[in-house]
Amino acid sequence: MSEKLKVAIVGCGGIANGKHMPSLSKLEQVEMVAFCDIVVEKAEEAAAKFGVEGAKVYKDYKELLADSSIDVVHVCTPNSSHAEISIAALESGKHVMCEKPMAKTSEEAKQMVEAAKRTGKKLTIGYNNRFRPDSLHLHNVCTRGDLGEVYYAKAHAIRRRAVPTWGVFLDEEKQGGGPLIDIGTHALDLTLWMMDNYKPKAVLGTTYHKLGHMENAANAFGPWNPEEFKVEDSAFGFITMENGATIVLESSWALNTLDVDEAKVSLSGTLAGADMKDGLRINGEEFSRLYTKKVDLGAGGVAFFDGKAENDSDIEARQWIESIINDTEPLVKPEQAFVVTQILEAIYESAKTGKAVYFD
């Protein structure tokens, strides 16, 4: 492996420009040497802004993967192509960071896990919310056992009016769904990670397309086009786990509610509970009295690179790159992301059939 890891970006749209490339550009161990997009002008712009001198530009990702000098590929394309590109990149000898969700279907996600095992290359999924200070602290609390057995949880991904109107977010064929697969996936990933529970038993789900038909709707990103709005505007899941635990997952881009939370969890255990509703709060009972403790997350901590001017995406990129350099496991394991995809798919299936989906 070269002194610096040579990284390629496949898909030079919003998530690549807003997250991946800015964070990678801050790492001394990395140089971005190749950029690919079906709109080649986007790849050219990314190369000019983030690439090393002489960075290559491609329209076809297969041509990029033929370059044996590339060590790492970041897949930042629509959900429908995550598996195809990630598997091809792994089989060409590259380590892969794939943006969330892992894949459009659980079968595709399974094939990604198998490809990583078969090739011996590292694969991780872009669940950057794990790297927030509140998430890292709460995970430490859970790992130490402070909450006891966590048997009930809520995964929150509720927007009142924030429908993404750019790119292919409203295209069911390319994305696989709406808010559930877009932001619900973050909330579910956080919840399963906190509980360290990846064995679902059954899922009952509902999806709604109640507000997507509105003309000139109030929306954080400007009115959406009802003709293009092909996905759900809200979705909900009731998930039971093999050990008896229950998870309620709520997600929306547009919902008439003031109870707005995104990429947050609420946990109830046998010893204590926790939530992210007003900062990070731990609740419990002590000496026959109830208590609520609010954690000061501005006082520094022990997780990863606390103290530096890094956001969650910066820490995610650093931990991922250092896992390659040091041959350690990335924080987000593909096997975990596979279960997230399984559950999301089951919610969609249950919503279509009106029946619960049971896992083997």
Side-chain angles (χ1 to χ4, degrees):
M1 187 178 292
S2 59
E3 184 177 336
K4 287 192 175 186
L5 285 175
K6 290 180 168 52
V7 178
I9 309 295
V10 178
C12 299
I15 197 66
N17 280 279
K19 170 186 167 183
H20 291 260
M21 296 187 293
S23 293
L24 287 169
S25 69
K26 299 173 185 177
L27 300 177
E28 295 180 355
Q29 313 99 310
V30 161
E31 54 184 20
M32 284 177 271
V33 300
F35 301 82
C36 179
D37 199 284
I38 57 174
V39 180
V40 73
E41 291 80 9
K42 291 184 178 181
E44 290 171 345
E45 291 173 6
K49 185 173 182 180
F50 296 103
V52 297
E53 185 176 351
K56 296 179 181 178
V57 171
Y58 298 87
K59 187 174 183 179
D60 185 345
Y61 77 88
K62 293 176 183 177
E63 294 179 8
L64 179 151
L65 296 182
D67 185 345
S68 61
S69 70
I70 294 171
D71 302 304
V72 185
V73 171
H74 280 227
V75 179
C76 306
T77 61
N79 301 343
S80 60
S81 60
H82 281 185
E84 174 190 326
I85 299 171
S86 295
I87 292 168
L90 290 164
E91 291 180 340
S92 70
K94 280 76 166 157
H95 303 289
V96 174
M97 154 75 82
C98 178
E99 185 49 45
K100 63 79 196 169
M102 187 172 191
K104 184 178 170 181
T105 70
S106 62
E107 178 57 33
E108 290 176 339
K110 180 182 177 182
Q111 292 172 10
M112 291 169 68
V113 173
E114 291 171 347
K117 291 179 179 178
R118 183 172 64 250
T119 61
K121 293 299 176 179
K122 296 186 188 297
L123 170 65
T124 194
I125 309 301
Y127 286 117
N128 55 285
N129 284 288
R130 290 197 193 188
F131 296 88
R132 299 187 332 233
D134 56 343
S135 301
L136 291 167
H137 188 91
L138 180 55
H139 188 257
N140 286 335
V141 168
C142 293
T143 301
R144 194 169 64 181
D146 292 17
L147 305 188
E149 177 195 352
V150 179
Y151 58 91
Y152 179 60
K154 289 184 178 180
H156 309 287
I158 295 290
R159 297 177 184 175
R160 183 184 181 187
R161 289 290 192 284
V163 178
T165 54
W166 62 92
V168 296
F169 279 104
L170 304 181
D171 186 329
E172 184 173 16
E173 179 62 29
K174 288 185 170 62
Q175 289 297 92
L180 178 63
I181 201 169
D182 177 41
I183 57 176
T185 190
H186 275 301
L188 181 58
D189 173 70
L190 280 178
T191 305
L192 299 179
W193 185 53
M194 298 299 175
M195 298 173 75
D196 190 24
N197 190 342
Y198 291 91
K199 295 183 178 180
K201 179 181 179 182
V203 168
L204 187 64
T206 54
T207 61
Y208 297 97
H209 194 279
K210 299 291 189 181
L211 306 182
H213 302 296
M214 293 175 62
E215 299 274 358
N216 299 314
N219 189 48
F221 308 112
W224 57 79
N225 182 348
E227 297 298 319
E228 297 177 353
F229 206 136
K230 304 298 184 183
V231 296
E232 81 278 0
D233 45 45
S234 59
F236 308 90
F238 186 87
I239 305 149
T240 57
M241 309 300 283
E242 285 186 6
N243 71 344
T246 299
I247 300 171
V248 174
L249 170 58
E250 54 181 22
S251 65
S252 74
W253 283 339
L255 189 69
N256 289 322
T257 180
L258 297 177
D259 190 14
V260 175
D261 286 299
E262 188 171 336
K264 294 182 180 179
V265 301
S266 297
L267 306 173
S268 298
T270 52
L271 299 179
D275 67 57
M276 297 168 163
K277 290 285 188 177
D278 180 23
L280 178 56
R281 303 183 298 186
I282 314 295
N283 68 81
E285 180 180 353
E286 192 173 57
F287 306 121
S288 302
R289 301 284 186 179
L290 298 177
Y291 71 83
T292 303
K293 177 175 69 174
K294 191 168 183 179
V295 180
D296 181 0
L297 295 168
V302 297
F304 297 113
F305 307 95
D306 210 1
K308 294 186 178 182
E310 294 179 308
N311 59 33
D312 53 314
S313 298
D314 292 342
I315 300 172
E316 175 191 49
R318 183 182 294 277
Q319 199 273 340
W320 160 238
I321 292 300
E322 295 205 347
S323 76
I324 297 171
I325 293 172
N326 300 322
D327 194 20
T328 55
E329 279 196 304
L331 184 67
V332 181
K333 300 172 181 60
E335 294 84 0
Q336 297 171 335
F338 165 62
V339 176
V340 174
T341 299
Q342 277 189 306
I343 294 173
L344 296 178
E345 183 178 69
I347 292 174
Y348 282 125
E349 182 180 342
S350 175
K352 288 178 181 176
T353 64
K355 300 177 181 178
V357 174
Y358 294 90
F359 293 83
D360 293 332

